[in-house]
Amino acid sequence: MTLYLVESVLPRQWQERQLEEKVAALTSAGQNQGVELVEVQAAQDLSRAFFIVQSKGQPEIREVFSSLGIPLTLIKQVRLVGQELEEVKQGQVKVKYVVEWNLPEGLTMEKYLARKKEKFPLYAKVPQASFLRTYVCEDMTKCLCFYDAEDEQAVLKAREVVEAPVDSITELISQVVKDGK
């Protein structure tokens, strides 16, 4: 199975409970159609959600999300960097911010990974922000970097230290329940 990023602009009327219900339904329905929910992170204002799923392909993802009335804005194949997939699935580490970065044209995955490896130790200079993981689109158009941090300024400082741009930063709700519990 392949890892995908699925972005959704959520309907204005959705409250956190409605999102939790959709996520629980997605977990259940997805299992029947070969779409496994790895994690979901949602903006503090519930304007957007970022779903990471494993699936055989995009048609299965589209079918499951559409059947549940979850709007689709983007589906892209991604690579996980910084954590092991099983660790992410356990959902034990709190994510507070997501940074989106639209990658520059001409950047290859090899160059990106080498740069990430080289710069990673510099995060130690900003103990107020913990880099957790990145999902890099395989087509090298964008990446999402997840952090736990005291505040947005700490995340911005961490990005500055590793010389990584920020196209947008979003504060996330504390946790979206994945299994309906």
Side-chain angles (χ1 to χ4, degrees):
M1 295 224 295
T2 304
L3 205 57
Y4 289 91
L5 162 65
V6 180
E7 291 184 18
S8 179
V9 173
L10 301 175
R12 287 182 190 228
Q13 71 273 17
W14 279 18
Q15 301 297 314
E16 191 169 338
R17 183 71 196 137
Q18 289 160 310
L19 178 59
E20 289 174 356
E21 289 169 0
K22 293 288 186 180
V23 168
L26 175 61
T27 301
S28 177
Q31 290 173 348
N32 298 330
Q33 297 190 27
V35 176
E36 180 186 353
L37 181 61
V38 173
E39 74 173 305
V40 59
Q41 302 293 340
Q44 185 76 32
D45 65 2
L46 289 175
S47 60
R48 300 174 66 204
F50 306 92
F51 299 86
I52 303 298
V53 300
Q54 281 188 297
S55 178
K56 291 181 277 182
Q58 289 190 18
E60 292 83 358
I61 295 168
R62 287 184 194 288
E63 185 175 325
V64 171
F65 276 72
S66 295
S67 72
L68 296 171
I70 302 171
L72 294 170
T73 307
L74 175 79
I75 303 175
K76 289 203 177 218
Q77 189 176 338
V78 292
R79 183 178 304 195
L80 173 62
V81 179
Q83 276 185 304
E84 295 297 319
L85 185 59
E86 290 308 313
E87 187 180 0
V88 174
K89 287 180 179 182
Q90 291 174 6
Q92 308 247 335
V93 179
K94 180 183 171 191
V95 178
K96 181 118 189 220
Y97 293 94
V98 61
V99 170
E100 294 178 75
W101 177 26
N102 296 310
L103 300 172
E105 206 170 304
L107 181 63
T108 66
M109 184 66 77
E110 293 75 28
K111 286 180 185 176
Y112 175 83
L113 294 173
R115 183 184 186 288
K116 190 79 162 168
K117 185 176 181 180
E118 172 193 338
K119 299 288 185 175
F120 182 79
L122 298 174
Y123 279 121
K125 293 180 178 183
V126 187
Q128 309 88 338
S130 297
F131 165 76
L132 302 172
R133 60 187 163 276
T134 294
Y135 293 101
V136 184
C137 292
E138 291 286 355
D139 66 4
M140 296 305 294
T141 55
K142 75 183 285 183
C143 67
L144 299 180
C145 300
F146 292 157
Y147 294 85
D148 184 20
E150 291 177 2
D151 55 29
E152 187 175 310
Q153 292 303 45
V155 175
L156 293 172
K157 176 120 175 105
R159 298 292 289 187
E160 183 179 302
V161 165
V162 297
E163 299 174 359
V166 173
D167 287 323
S168 71
I169 185 168
T170 303
E171 186 173 0
L172 303 169
I173 59 175
S174 58
Q175 181 177 358
V176 177
V177 177
K178 217 168 71 160
D179 55 12
K181 294 179 186 172

